[in-house]
Amino acid sequence: MQTRHASLQSIASVLRWLHRVFDATATWVTQLSWWKFFLFAALALIAGKILQDELFSGGGEEIVVRADKKPNKKEETTILIDDSGIRFNPRPKAQRGDDGNEVHIALPPQIGEELSNAIETAVNDAAEAKVTRYHKQASTWFKSFVTLLVLALFATKALVGGKKRAEAQTQTANAAVERESMQRQLSEAKMQMMQAQVEPHFLFNTLASVEHLIQVDPPRASAMQRSLIQYLRAVLPQMRDNVVVTNLGREVDMVKAYLNLLKMRMEERLTIELQVPEQLRSAAFPPMMLQSLVENAIKHGLECQPDGGTLKIAAEVAGNTLRVIVADDGAGFGVMPSDGTGLGLPTIRARLKLLHGNAGQLHIAANAPSGGVATIEVPYQLSK
C-alpha cells in the first residue's frame, strides 16, 4: 500500500509539473502578437531544417551492411563466378551432376569476368539504396517534430489565447475597481472627518451671541437657542450615519437651520430666497456639499459686505440631471480668504467624480451685476 501511495504521489507531482509547464507556455504564447508568433514559427522551422542537415546528414560515414541471418543448411547454395565459368555447389540432389558435388557451367574468360563484375555492382547498388532509404526515414523525424511543435503552439494560441486575454482583462478590471474603491473609501473617510468638525468659531460666536442676548433681549436669545438646537439636530445625524448619498430635502433643512442662525447675527443684512420644489426633496444628493457652497457664499460674498446681500438657493431638473444652484450678489468667490473648515471646491469636484464620474459636475460663474453662482449637477434619481 505504501509503495502504491508513493507511486500515486509521484504521478500527481509529474502531472502538476506538466500543468505548470503548459500554463507557462500558454501564457507566453498568448502574450505574443500574431506577427511575432509567425516570425518565431518561421525561425523555428528554418533552425529545425539546419539542425537536421547538420546532425543527421550522415555524409562521409562508412556504412557496413551484413546479414546475420544464417541460411538453411538444406537450402544452402554456393555460387562462384570466375574466369572459368559459373559453379553451383551443392544443388538439390535431383539436379546434381555426375560428381554429385557441384555443377560447372563453362564460359569464355571475358564473358565470365564481365558477368562477375555486373553481379557485384548490382549487389552493391541494392545495399546502398537500402541504406539510403533507411537513413532518409531516420533523419526526417527532427524536422517533423519541430513542425508538430509549431502547430501545437499555434493551436494553443488560437484556442487558449481568448481565455488568457479574458483572464488578464478581468484581473486588470478588478485591480482598477480595487483602486477606485480605495480612493472612494479615502475620500469618504476625509468626508466623515470633515462632517465631524462643526466649526468651532461658528459655535462659539453663536453661543456668545446667545449669552449677550439673554441680558439685552431674552426673547431673541431664546429664538437663537432654538435655531442652534435645530441646526445641531440636522447636522449630528450626518456625523453618525456616515452616508455617501443622502437626499436634497435633508440637506436643505440643515442649510435652513444654519441660515436662521446667521440671520439672527446679520439681521437685515442677509436676505434668503429658497426655491426648492417639494417633489425634489427626495432626490439623491451628496451630503455637506450644499452647506459648503452656502458657507462660501456667505463668507466670501455677503459677510464682508457692509450692506450684506441676498442669498438664493434653487433646484431644478433638466432632462436626467438635477441642478442645485447657490447664488449671491456680494463680492464674489475668491475675494475674501476662508477661515472655516468647509469642504472646498476642489474636494467637491473630486467627490463628484468619484460618485458619478463625468455626470457629476461643479460649475462656478460670475453673477450679474455682482457676486457668484455655483451649480452642482448630478444624475437625477430618488434617494434610497
Side-chain angles (χ1 to χ4, degrees):
M1 291 296 294
Q2 294 181 353
T3 304
R4 182 179 180 182
H5 182 67
S7 300
L8 293 176
Q9 287 184 340
S10 300
I11 294 174
S13 300
V14 171
L15 292 177
R16 285 194 297 268
W17 179 81
L18 291 175
H19 181 268
R20 288 194 297 267
V21 171
F22 174 77
D23 189 68
T25 304
T27 302
W28 171 74
V29 171
T30 54
Q31 289 176 350
L32 292 177
S33 60
W34 279 109
W35 73 268
K36 289 183 179 179
F37 175 79
F38 285 123
L39 178 61
F40 165 78
L43 292 177
L45 293 175
I46 293 173
K49 181 66 169 62
I50 294 174
L51 289 176
Q52 172 184 302
D53 294 340
E54 292 295 329
L55 298 179
F56 304 101
S57 61
E61 295 182 357
E62 181 179 0
I63 302 174
V64 179
V65 181
R66 62 178 61 181
D68 294 331
K69 182 179 178 180
K70 295 183 179 180
N72 192 333
K73 293 296 184 178
K74 297 180 180 180
E75 301 294 333
E76 183 178 0
T77 301
T78 302
I79 301 175
L80 179 62
I81 302 175
D82 54 16
D83 295 341
S84 63
I86 303 175
R87 300 177 183 274
F88 296 86
N89 184 29
R91 294 179 59 193
K93 185 175 182 180
Q95 299 180 3
R96 289 184 183 178
D98 296 337
D99 54 4
N101 292 326
E102 67 178 9
V103 175
H104 178 247
I105 301 176
L107 295 174
Q110 184 177 0
I111 295 177
E113 183 178 359
E114 292 178 356
L115 181 60
S116 176
N117 293 334
I119 294 176
E120 183 178 359
T121 301
V123 171
N124 292 335
D125 290 343
E128 183 177 356
K130 182 178 180 180
V131 172
T132 300
R133 287 195 303 271
Y134 172 79
H135 173 261
K136 184 176 181 180
Q137 294 174 356
S139 63
T140 56
W141 72 270
F142 187 76
K143 183 179 179 181
S144 301
F145 171 77
V146 174
T147 303
L148 290 176
L149 179 61
V150 170
L151 291 177
L153 293 177
F154 176 82
T156 301
K157 181 175 179 60
L159 298 177
V160 186
K163 179 181 178 181
K164 291 292 182 181
R165 284 192 297 271
E167 291 177 354
Q169 292 175 356
T170 302
Q171 293 176 357
T172 303
N174 290 338
V177 170
E178 290 179 0
R179 287 195 300 269
E180 183 177 352
S181 176
M182 292 179 64
Q183 291 176 354
R184 185 189 297 270
Q185 291 175 6
L186 179 61
S187 177
E188 296 307 322
K190 292 180 179 178
M191 177 65 187
Q192 293 166 11
M193 180 180 66
M194 292 175 181
Q195 289 176 339
Q197 297 175 352
V198 179
E199 292 181 299
H201 82 282
F202 171 75
L203 288 178
F204 293 155
N205 291 340
T206 302
L207 292 174
S209 298
V210 171
E211 183 180 9
H212 174 71
L213 291 175
I214 288 175
Q215 298 176 1
V216 299
D217 192 350
R220 189 178 172 193
S222 177
M224 180 173 283
Q225 183 182 17
R226 287 194 299 271
S227 296
L228 178 60
I229 293 173
Q230 183 181 1
Y231 172 74
L232 292 177
R233 283 177 176 173
V235 171
L236 289 177
Q238 297 277 51
M239 303 177 188
R240 293 193 299 263
D241 292 349
N242 295 331
V243 292
V244 176
V245 176
T246 180
N247 59 65
L248 183 59
R250 187 175 179 179
E251 294 299 301
V252 170
D253 291 340
M254 185 172 63
V255 168
K256 286 172 61 178
Y258 172 77
L259 291 175
N260 288 336
L261 288 172
L262 289 178
K263 178 68 174 177
M264 290 184 180
R265 286 173 48 191
M266 298 179 64
E267 297 181 342
E268 301 301 326
R269 295 173 57 234
L270 177 61
T271 302
I272 302 171
E273 295 183 6
L274 192 61
Q275 300 177 0
V276 178
E278 185 67 25
Q279 62 268 23
L280 295 183
R281 289 180 58 87
S282 59
F285 196 78
M288 298 299 291
M289 287 190 183
L290 179 58
Q291 175 155 336
S292 179
L293 295 184
V294 170
E295 288 178 4
N296 284 330
I298 294 293
K299 296 174 185 177
H300 298 175
L302 299 179
E303 198 169 29
C304 58
Q305 296 285 90
D307 296 333
T310 301
L311 178 70
K312 179 180 178 180
I313 302 173
E316 62 182 14
V317 175
N320 294 325
T321 301
L322 172 66
R323 291 175 181 166
V324 178
I325 304 166
V326 177
D328 69 87
D329 57 2
F333 287 110
V335 176
M336 296 295 294
S338 175
D339 57 352
T341 58
L343 295 177
L345 302 183
T347 306
I348 292 178
R349 285 194 173 95
R351 292 188 63 239
L352 286 174
K353 186 172 183 62
L354 282 175
L355 290 172
H356 303 291
N358 294 329
Q361 298 288 333
L362 171 63
H363 303 287
I364 304 296
N367 197 8
S370 63
V373 179
T375 304
I376 292 179
E377 294 183 351
V378 295
Y380 176 58
Q381 53 190 2
L382 298 179
S383 177
K384 296 180 179 180

